[in-house]
Each structure stands twice: as structure tokens, then as C-alpha cells.
Amino acid sequence: MLKFWKKKNDPTAPKREAAQDDVDANAPQNADAPAESVAPEPTREAPSAAPEEIAAPEEKAPRSWRERLGGSGIARGLGGLFKRNPQLDDALLDELETILITSDVGVTASTTLVESLRQRVRKREFADAAALRNALREALIEQLRPVQQSLDVTTHTPFVMLVVGVNGVGKTTTIGKLTHHHLAAGRKVMLAAGDTFRAAAVEQLKTWGERNQVPVVAQGQGADSASVIFDALQGAQSRKADLLIADTAGRLHTQGGLMDELGKIARVLKKLDADAPNEVLMVIDGTTGQNAVSQVRQFHQAIGVTGLVVTKLDGTARGGVVFALAREFGLPIRYVGLGEGIADLRPFDAEAYVDGLLPVETDA
Ligand SMILES: Nc1nc2c(ncn2[C@@H]2O[C@H](COP(=O)(O)OP(=O)(O)OP(=O)(O)O)[C@@H](O)[C@H]2O)c(=O)[nH]1
């Protein structure tokens, strides 16, 4: 049975004022009673609501990678290419190169890949275009395999996941989906509403908390983000949660002050746990294109990103940015977002991803 806390609004709890100027110096000491928390007790048992009950109707049978990714620019481009060009010739290779470049794979990665295929064509390694297609599939999978590294949250308790990224990329939605995923695995999860910039962001996270029946540690809009997340970690430690997922405000990588705030959050957390945060998960909007590469570079410099989530790959994304990120940084791609529903976050799988873009069977 799911065990709930009574709604905890301890009147003795010190209400934290809005932004603290120097959290480093005045780190909160009693975060067991966060200023504002929606607090059913985290539980090791699976939530009473089954995934099917939480998910929107269309998520009852999660759609395949192919269904989700088939509409992307790269999938349509590659599908059409092999349909139009049954002949194994230079025109096919030239068009392949154009498709890869215009799908955000990146110029260097695209030309290198196509050049290596061209040489193999010259050596007569392929009997026909179908053989080339298979070799292309293999080459694409090879590029992604090194970044397929799942996130093990059992290495530390509580495991602290800090979710960062620019505005609107899908951070809060991803947190909701992650919570669902880890609850289903029987973990105690808590959330920290570290996006104190937008009032709506706190409400949005609380809604995900209620939906998943997990506590959300929050303060008001304008509160100090590091303070909220510090409170939440104290709470997670005392309540023996397995996982604390902290939201942060969306920020442009060009906003120096806000980028510095991320470093401050990490420093403040280390006062409680020298290893925290255990994962800095950067969320990337898959429709952003090559700009995603500079975003990751800046965030990585500011806080040391340890894993990526690429969202919105189901929509109008060109789909190639995943290859560009893999090649540029080699950072683990932990998950991909293939839709807005709670079950639409998938652990990244290189082969499934490439299958979604270019299926094994010649259905093109
Ligand atoms: N199609 C699609 N939409 C997504 C996905 N992930 C998130 N979204 C949508 O993207 C929009 C923005 O998501 P949020 O979670 O609010 O983004 P955020 O990064 O928290 O935004 P800020 O708090 O403004 O920085 C919402 O409409 C989500 O439903 C995905 O994988 N696929």
C-alpha cells in the first residue's frame, strides 16, 4: 500500500524569505521543514496509480521508435533517398551527404561518413544500393553507441540529479517523466522546484508532483534557487529518499549571471554532500539544430554536464543533432523525449534510434 504523509505545513518551520544574497555563507540549516512542500511520503513501493492510469490514453501502448521518429527530417530524407536512387552511384552519395548536413548531423561528421562510404563503393564492397544502406545504418549506429550509457541512480543515496538547460527545452516535463519512471522502479523520489524565476514553473512542477504523488520542495517565485535545492537535499537525506530531482530555471547560455548561479547551486549542495550533484542532466531541444552544440559547450563549462536528454525528437526535429552531439562531446545521452506524454521518455538506445530513422527492412 502506498503510505502518504499528511500534508506537511509545519507552522514552526522557518519561512524562507525570497532571494538570499549569499547562500554560501548562510546555507539553511533546517531544510527538513521546507517553506512550502507538497508532501506525500516518498515510498519504495510503486505508486498506487499504474502507469496506464497516469498516462494519457494514447500512451497506453507506447508507440515505436519508428512511429515517433519517422516524421523527422532525416528519416524522411533517407527514406526518400533510397526510394529514388536504386542505383549505387555518385549521385546517391552526394544526395546522402546533403541530407545529413541539412538534418543537423554537422558538416564534418557528414562529409567524413560519406567519404568513408565512397571509398568502400570504390573498392566495390557493396553489390547495390541496399548494401550501402545497410552499411550506412551500421555507421550511424557506431557513431551513437559510445554515448549510449544508461544512468544508474543507485550509486548514491540520495542520488541528486540537477536538471539544466535553456528556456522551454522540456526540463520540467522531463522531470515529470523521470519521476514516473523511477517510481515505477520502486524508488523514493523527491522534487525540488529550483526554477524560482517563473511562478508558473513552480506550479508546473507541483502538478507533476501531485500527478506522481511525490513531495515537491518549493519556495515562492524569486526565492534563491540554491537555497531551495539545499533545503530539498536536507529533506531528501532526512527522509531517506533514493532520488532527488532538482529543476532549475531555463537560461540562455549567454546569460553570464544565470550561468554562474548553476555553479553556486553545485557549491551549496556540496556542503551537504561532497558528491552532489551526482548527475547534471542537460536537456536539449532536438528541434534546435546546431545551436544545441554551443549550448552544451557553454553549460559544460559552467557546471560540468554529465548527461544529456534530447527532447522533441517526435516533432519537426531534423533528428541529426543527436549525431552532432555524440561526435562533438561524447557525453552520455541518457534519454530521448519522443512525445509530451509521461511514458514518452526512453532510455537512449543507439540501435533503436537509427532503426527509427532508417529501418532494417527496405520499406523506404
Ligand atoms: N513533442 C514534444 N514536446 C515536448 C517534449 N518534451 C517537452 N515537450 C513540450 O515542450 C514544452 C516546454 O516544456 P517544459 O517542460 O515546460 O520546458 P522547460 O524547459 O521546463 O521550460 P522553462 O521552465 O520555460 O525553461 C511543453 O509544451 C512540453 O509539453 C517531447 O519530447 N516531445
Side-chain angles (χ1 to χ4, degrees), residues 165-174 177 195 198 201 204 208 247-251 283 310-315 336-340 344-345:
V166 307
N167 308 72
V169 289
K171 293 181 294 299
T172 313
T173 309
T174 298
K177 294 171 177 174
D195 181 353
R198 283 193 308 123
Q204 194 187 349
W208 278 108
D247 197 8
T248 59
R251 64 203 75 214
V283 182
V310 186
T311 61
K312 308 187 192 180
L313 289 170
D314 53 300
V336 286
L338 300 180
E340 292 183 272
D344 286 332
L345 191 74

Side-chain angles (χ1 to χ4, degrees), residues 56-364:
E58 82 266 22
E59 276 107 38
K60 278 185 176 168
R63 290 201 281 156
S64 69
W65 290 71
R66 177 65 185 158
E67 283 175 283
R68 294 293 191 191
L69 296 170
S72 67
I74 190 168
R76 282 184 288 116
L78 293 177
L81 170 70
F82 286 99
K83 200 186 274 178
R84 285 192 309 277
N85 295 280
Q87 298 295 330
L88 186 55
D89 55 18
D90 274 344
L92 175 70
L93 288 161
D94 290 345
E95 200 180 332
L96 171 61
E97 190 169 346
T98 306
I99 289 167
L100 295 176
I101 292 172
T102 54
S103 304
D104 294 329
V105 171
V107 176
T108 314
S110 304
T111 48
T112 309
L113 194 152
V114 172
E115 195 44 44
S116 120
L117 290 172
R118 207 184 292 276
Q119 284 176 16
R120 292 172 65 186
V121 169
R122 286 194 191 116
K123 288 185 202 155
R124 303 192 185 283
E125 273 187 44
F126 310 123
D128 52 21
L132 173 82
R133 188 177 185 280
N134 286 337
L136 171 63
R137 269 179 47 84
E138 282 310 313
L140 293 173
I141 293 169
E142 274 320 300
Q143 295 208 347
L144 297 182
R145 219 171 246 137
V147 297
Q148 178 187 318
Q149 295 170 42
S150 60
L151 179 59
D152 181 4
V153 300
T154 64
T155 54
H156 202 84
T157 309
F159 191 94
V160 181
M161 211 187 277
L162 195 61
V163 180
V164 303
V166 307
N167 308 72
V169 289
K171 293 181 294 299
T172 313
T173 309
T174 298
I175 291 171
K177 294 171 177 174
L178 280 170
T179 304
H180 172 68
H181 172 75
H182 287 289
L183 279 177
R187 299 196 176 97
K188 291 181 179 182
V189 183
M190 281 180 67
L191 304 180
D195 181 353
T196 53
F197 199 65
R198 283 193 308 123
V202 176
E203 291 313 311
Q204 194 187 349
L205 195 73
K206 282 184 178 174
T207 303
W208 278 108
E210 280 162 23
R211 199 172 172 196
N212 283 302
Q213 302 176 334
V214 299
V216 179
V217 177
Q219 297 174 21
Q221 184 187 6
D224 184 89
S225 179
S227 165
V228 174
I229 299 172
F230 183 95
D231 274 359
L233 179 53
Q234 275 196 325
Q237 286 174 334
S238 65
R239 291 160 194 177
K240 303 207 180 327
D242 297 306
L243 177 62
L244 173 68
I245 311 178
D247 197 8
T248 59
R251 64 203 75 214
L252 283 175
H253 49 295
T254 48
Q255 293 172 309
L258 280 172
M259 293 303 284
D260 291 345
E261 186 189 66
L262 292 178
K264 176 179 169 183
I265 293 170
R267 283 197 306 281
V268 168
L269 288 176
K270 287 190 193 312
K271 289 174 182 278
L272 288 174
D273 180 344
D275 294 329
N278 307 99
E279 174 83 353
V280 177
L281 197 59
M282 179 166 180
V283 182
I284 303 290
D285 179 336
T287 65
T288 318
Q290 285 288 307
N291 190 28
V293 172
S294 55
Q295 285 175 18
V296 174
R297 188 170 294 118
Q298 301 293 331
F299 274 78
H300 198 35
Q301 273 169 15
I303 191 169
V305 174
T306 54
L308 302 175
V309 178
V310 186
T311 61
K312 308 187 192 180
L313 289 170
D314 53 300
T316 54
R318 296 181 193 156
V321 73
V322 170
F323 297 94
L325 291 170
R327 183 185 164 89
E328 194 75 28
F329 303 104
L331 285 167
I333 298 179
R334 306 295 196 186
Y335 300 94
V336 286
L338 300 180
E340 292 183 272
I342 202 159
D344 286 332
L345 191 74
R346 310 272 170 92
F348 182 62
D349 179 329
E351 194 163 341
Y353 188 73
V354 172
D355 270 349
L357 304 178
L358 190 63
V360 185
E361 63 276 12
T362 317
D363 70 342

